[in-house]
Structures are given as structure tokens and as C-alpha cells.
Amino acid sequence: TIVASLYIPLLHSYTSGCVSNTGNGTFVTKNIYSVAYNHAYQDGSGLLVEGMDAFDVKRGKSCNSRYTATAALQNNIAANFSAYYNFHEEIKNNMDLLKRCIDEIELNNYFDSSCCGMATYPDCLLDESDSSNVACPIDDRKDIMGIPIPYDKPGVVL
């Protein structure tokens, strides 16, 4: 009937993986590979678990022995970072205040007039009538073979 025609293919598919009951041998001899595999797996599985446990113990000891030193180092680094960040914020605020208080254009003009014609100010117009007598500030760290090098313009540096 209709139920049998639907059920029989499912039954054959289900029983296709089973060992058949025809032929020579017993159930044990036909399934000896399965028994051997399960026995070996059981032994290997036990060894695997023991090995993983031993590894976890060794890893735990190794991590615990280094924990105190690395935790202290991390705390020290975090404290330094916080101090550097606070210092940076303070410097940034001071530089913002400095930029609001200084007339960069006027300072740059003084540097242009007093350092005109020197190594880092070659493109300025020398005004002979300027009697400001402001000395050009020389950066002693940049003296190259006796040639004086003035400081950069404050408006550029700030």
C-alpha cells in the first residue's frame, strides 16, 4: 500500500549501515574493527585528557610565577601614561593661552627686520631706514662652520 511504499525506502536507508546477518562469522568477528577502534580510542582519549590536565597545571604555574611582576609593570605603565597625558593637557592649555596672548604677526615682522639677509631670512626686503636696532636672536645650537643661524620666526614655531 501507500504507507509501505513510503516506509520501505526509509527502512533500507536506515539498515544499510548495519552489519548483515548472512555469511561466515559471528557478530563479534564482523565488528572486531569497531571494538578495537573503541578500545584504542578510549585509551587515547584518557591520555589526551591527562596530557591536557598536565599542560594546564604547567601553564598555570608559569603564569602565576610571572603575574605579580607583570601586574606591577602594567600598573606602573598605566600611571606613567596618565601622568604624561595630564602633562600634555597642561602644555596644550598653556600653548593655547600663549597663542591668544602673543601677536605672531608683529613678532614675525621684528624677526624679518632684524634678521634680514641672514641664512634663514634671504627673501626679505632690507629697509635701511629702519632704526629699531633690534638684534637678531641667534640659535647657538645651529651655528654651522661659523655662520650664525637665527631662530625661526615665532609665528612659525608656535
Side-chain angles (χ1 to χ4, degrees), residues 95-143:
M95 287 303 292
D96 289 343
L97 179 63
L98 184 68
K99 285 181 179 182
R100 287 195 308 262
C101 295
I102 292 180
D103 186 356
E104 293 177 18
I105 295 171
E106 187 66 25
L107 275 176
N108 288 344
N109 289 339
Y110 278 127
F111 270 72
D112 282 338
S113 65
S114 64
C115 300
C116 188
M118 296 190 84
T120 54
Y121 294 88
D123 298 330
C124 60
L125 299 173
L126 186 58
D127 185 6
E128 299 294 335
S129 65
D130 185 15
S131 60
S132 63
N133 292 329
V134 178
C136 179
I138 303 298
D139 188 352
D140 295 329
R141 300 169 301 167
K142 296 182 179 177
D143 190 349

Side-chain angles (χ1 to χ4, degrees), residues 55-91:
F55 176 76
D56 284 340
V57 167
K58 186 183 278 188
R59 183 176 51 88
K61 286 180 181 177
S62 176
C63 290
N64 287 339
S65 68
R66 292 178 178 88
Y67 175 76
T68 304
T70 56
L73 177 64
Q74 182 180 3
N75 291 338
N76 189 20
I77 289 170
N80 286 345
F81 177 77
S82 179
Y84 295 148
Y85 178 79
N86 292 336
F87 180 70
H88 174 267
E89 287 296 310
E90 182 182 344
I91 295 296

